[in-house]
Amino acid sequence: MKFELSSKNIEEIAADFELIFIQNKNIKNLKEYKNFFDLNNYKGEGLCIDLHNKKLFIELKSLNYEDIRKSFYEAYKCLEKLNIKTIKTPSIIGECVVRSFASLVEGIIFATYKFDKYKSEKNQSNIKKIIIAKNDINGKKFNQNEAKIGITRGDILANATNFTKNIVNEFPEFYTPLRMAEDAKNLAKSNKNITCKIYDEKFLVKEKMNAFLAVNRSSIHPPRLIHLSYKHKNAKKRIVFVGKGLTYDSGGLSLKPSDYMVTMKADKSGAAAAMGIIKAIAELELEFEVHCIIGATENMIGGNSYKPDDILISREGVSIEVRNTDAEGRLVLADCLSFAQDLKPDLLIDLATLTGACVVGLGEYTSAIMGNNEDLQNEFYISSKKSGEYTTILHFNPYLKELIKSNIADVCNVSSSRYGGAITAGLFLDKFIRKEYKDKWLHLDIAGPAYIEKNWGYMNFGASGAGVRMCVNFLIHLLRKNK
C-alpha cells in the first residue's frame, strides 16, 4: 500500500473514493446529504456508503489514536472489494501529529493483512494508494515533516507486526526451529544493519543450557539458539529482548488435551515478536544497541522425554524440580535469560506466551507486565497505552514465592497452588535474573492477545503480532525522554 501526503485540500484531489468522518454523530453540517441520510436511516453511527457519489461516511468516536486506527481499518474493509484504486482522506490530528499519522497508516495496513497463502482462492483488493489531504477535519494546522515521520513510522511498525503475524500463523510441520533460524538469517540478509548468529545443540551442551535441552529432547527437530543484533553508531543504551520460540508445544509427558493442543503453533509468538521488534528498530534506525535472544524448540513426547520428577541444572546454576513438563516455556527462557545477561543489558525484556492463567485473569486481549522495578513497569504501561496494545501490571507478591519452593531443588517449575499462575511463572523467571539486573528486567506475558481465533478490533483471525508495537514505542519513548 502506498501513502501519499498531498499538499492539496481534499476537494482538489482526484481519487476514486472519498472518506468523510463523522464526529460526535454530528451530521447536521452535511445538509446536502440530509435526504440521503434519511433514506438510509443514518444517524452518524458506524458506516454509510454512497456508491453514486463515491463517498464513505465513517463514524470517528474520538481523536484517540486507537479510534483513528479503528476508523481507517473499518473504512478500508468496507471498500476493499470495490473496483477502485485510490482513496482520498482528510488528515486527522489527535494529541501528537506523528502518532496520529502513524495510527492512520497502521489502521489501513492492518486492514490489508491476510494469511491466505494456503487457500486455493485468494481475493486481492485493487486499492493501491491512500492520498492524505493537507486539511485536518477540525482545521488544525500541523507540521508536514512530522506527518511524514508518522507515515513512515506507521508503515514500518504495521509491516513489522504483520511480519510477526506471518511467523506465528505458520503451521508446525513446516515451521520448525530450523525454519525459524532460516527466517532470522533472511531477516539479517534483508537489512544490512542486522546481524545474525545461529547456535546448534552442541553449543547448548557446551553452555550447559540443560533446561532448554531437556525440553527439546523428544523432538526430531534440533533446537536453535538465535542471536540477532543491531547497533546504531550513536547507541544510547543496550537493550536485550528474549523470545520464547516453542514452534510447537504438545505438553510433553504432561500431555495437553487435544482441544488445548490446537493453536499451540502460536507458542512461538514471543520469538516472532522479538524478530519483528528488531526489524522495526533497524528500519527506524533508533539510537540503540539491540539484541534478540530466541530459544527455538519443540516440546514433544517420546521415550526419551524429560519427565515430571526430573531435576535440571540450568545454565545459571539454579536447580529446577520438574513437576509438569507442560510448564516448558519458562525452562527455555531460564537458560536464554542467563545467556542474555552475559550481554550486560541496560534493559532486559522477555516476551512469551507463558501461561493460560494470564488469559484467565486478564482476558484474551491484554498482556501482563511483570518485574521488580515498579517505576519501570509503570513507565512501560503508560507508553504501551499509546501503542494500541492493551496491557496491565501484575505485581509480584512475596507470599506467592512460597508456592514455587521445592524440597529437593532450588525452585519448582510449577506452583503448588492453582491460583496466581501468571505471577508465579514470572517469579520463577525472577530466580534466574542476577541481582544487578533485577531492576532492569521486564517480563511480558502475551498469552492472551498473541493468537485469537476470531476477528477483534482491527486484528483479523489468528496472530496479532502482540508485543511489537508496545516494545518499539517504549524505546521511542526512552529516546525522547533522554533528549
Side-chain angles (χ1 to χ4, degrees), residues 110-144:
F110 289 147
T112 67
Y113 179 79
K114 291 177 182 177
F115 188 76
D116 60 359
K117 65 185 287 188
Y118 299 111
K119 281 185 169 286
S120 54
E121 291 186 17
K122 298 175 176 62
N123 299 314
Q124 297 295 327
S125 176
N126 291 319
I127 301 170
K128 304 298 181 189
K129 184 170 32 171
I130 309 297
I131 307 167
I132 308 166
K134 73 173 185 179
N135 49 318
D136 165 66
I137 56 171
N138 293 310
K140 290 182 183 177
K141 301 296 181 184
F142 60 90
N143 184 300
Q144 291 274 310

Side-chain angles (χ1 to χ4, degrees), residues 188 191-197 227-231 278 282 289-292 343:
N191 191 309
K192 61 181 175 57
N193 295 321
I194 297 175
T195 59
C196 179
K197 294 180 181 178
H227 182 179
L228 290 161
S229 57
Y230 156 84
K231 187 175 182 180
I278 200 167
E289 178 183 338
V290 177
H291 299 267
C292 290
L343 298 171

Side-chain angles (χ1 to χ4, degrees), residues 232-252:
H232 192 279
K233 62 182 179 181
N234 298 318
K236 302 293 191 289
K237 290 178 181 290
R238 182 180 295 125
I239 317 293
V240 180
F241 293 96
V242 176
K244 173 187 170 185
L246 266 290
T247 57
Y248 200 71
D249 177 20
S250 71

Side-chain angles (χ1 to χ4, degrees), residues 201-270:
E201 58 273 31
K202 293 178 182 177
F203 179 85
L204 301 185
V205 171
K206 180 183 174 184
E207 288 291 312
K208 300 180 180 178
M209 301 178 87
N210 300 311
F212 186 171
L213 286 164
V215 174
N216 179 258
R217 199 180 295 159
S218 284
S219 174
I220 61 169
H221 301 291
R224 288 295 181 264
L225 180 67
I226 300 166
H227 182 179
L228 290 161
S229 57
Y230 156 84
K231 187 175 182 180
H232 192 279
K233 62 182 179 181
N234 298 318
K236 302 293 191 289
K237 290 178 181 290
R238 182 180 295 125
I239 317 293
V240 180
F241 293 96
V242 176
K244 173 187 170 185
L246 266 290
T247 57
Y248 200 71
D249 177 20
S250 71
L253 286 179
S254 304
L255 192 66
K256 293 178 184 289
S258 58
D259 288 350
Y260 286 76
M261 213 180 291
V262 176
T263 75
M264 280 300 103
K265 66 179 184 180
D267 219 15
K268 58 184 179 290
S269 296

